[in-house]
Amino acid sequence: RTCGTEDLSQAELEQLFEMLGDGSNRSSVVCSGTIVVACHVIHNGATGLLTQAEVDAQIAELNANFAPNWYQFVLGQVDFTNNPAWFNLQTGADEFAMKQALALYPAQTLNIYSCIPYGYLGFAYFPTSFPENSFEHGVFIDYRTLPGGAYVPFDLGRTATHEIGHYLGLFH
């Protein structure tokens, strides 16, 4: 699989459908139309170190992909962390530590982490996976999948689009 987002159990599906309902219970991140993004660039020295232009291109791709659904993405912050274990993410403990250290305002901000996430192109958690304000929410993408990246043919920036769909409650 190229996507590491896990399928939901029947109980989790029912919880998600109940939460989404008519849309009135959705978070401010999801239903405001404007989604503020914090991009956390995890790198291993020079490997994985994205430029501001690459991050901006990803935001532009998200806006192009989600415009028909009236979502707009605004880059709120970019930060850079040199951490080899987090860059080549292999354990839940490292994922937890990374998100605990870096997540910004999870109830109001979409935290995107670029790295090599468990060998997948990307993954995300569904809205019901954690409490609304939990730092554990977030989207992970392989840094090489940004527009113009090195992961051909997945170098169009659409991995982030796919994973953000899960973050918003969409299934495969």
Side-chain angles (χ1 to χ4, degrees):
R1 290 176 47 183
T2 56
C3 175
T5 301
E6 295 183 12
D7 295 328
L8 296 177
S9 69
Q10 186 61 38
E12 291 169 322
L13 281 172
E14 290 171 10
Q15 180 186 12
L16 178 62
F17 290 144
E18 183 179 322
M19 184 198 87
L20 295 176
D22 64 1
S24 62
N25 294 327
R26 295 168 77 179
S27 74
S28 60
V29 173
V30 174
C31 67
S32 70
T34 298
I35 298 175
V36 178
V37 175
C39 184
H40 307 287
V41 178
I42 315 304
H43 60 94
N44 182 5
T47 305
L49 190 57
L50 301 175
T51 66
Q52 184 67 47
E54 290 169 316
V55 172
D56 291 343
Q58 180 64 74
I59 297 297
E61 182 65 23
L62 292 174
N63 282 322
N65 293 169
F66 281 96
N69 298 306
W70 303 287
Y71 288 111
Q72 178 184 13
F73 294 84
V74 176
L75 185 60
Q77 179 173 326
V78 179
D79 55 63
F80 302 88
T81 302
N82 184 353
N83 186 315
W86 292 357
F87 173 68
N88 191 20
L89 190 60
Q90 297 293 318
T91 71
D94 283 337
E95 176 189 338
F96 186 87
M98 178 194 328
K99 292 189 295 186
Q100 188 173 35
L102 300 177
L104 297 174
Y105 315 110
Q108 295 87 25
T109 305
L110 167 57
N111 287 274
I112 299 178
Y113 304 86
S114 71
C115 58
I116 300 177
Y118 299 107
Y120 292 112
L121 295 178
F123 73 95
Y125 293 98
F126 287 100
T128 54
S129 298
F130 309 106
E132 183 63 28
N133 63 351
S134 173
F135 65 85
E136 293 183 88
H137 283 290
V139 170
F140 286 79
I141 56 171
D142 188 307
Y143 76 98
R144 299 167 293 184
T145 66
L146 274 73
Y151 211 138
V152 177
F154 302 104
D155 59 339
L156 302 174
R158 301 223 175 104
T159 294
T161 301
H162 176 98
E163 300 308 334
I164 289 169
H166 295 316
Y167 171 82
L168 296 172
L170 299 176
F171 307 111
H172 284 123

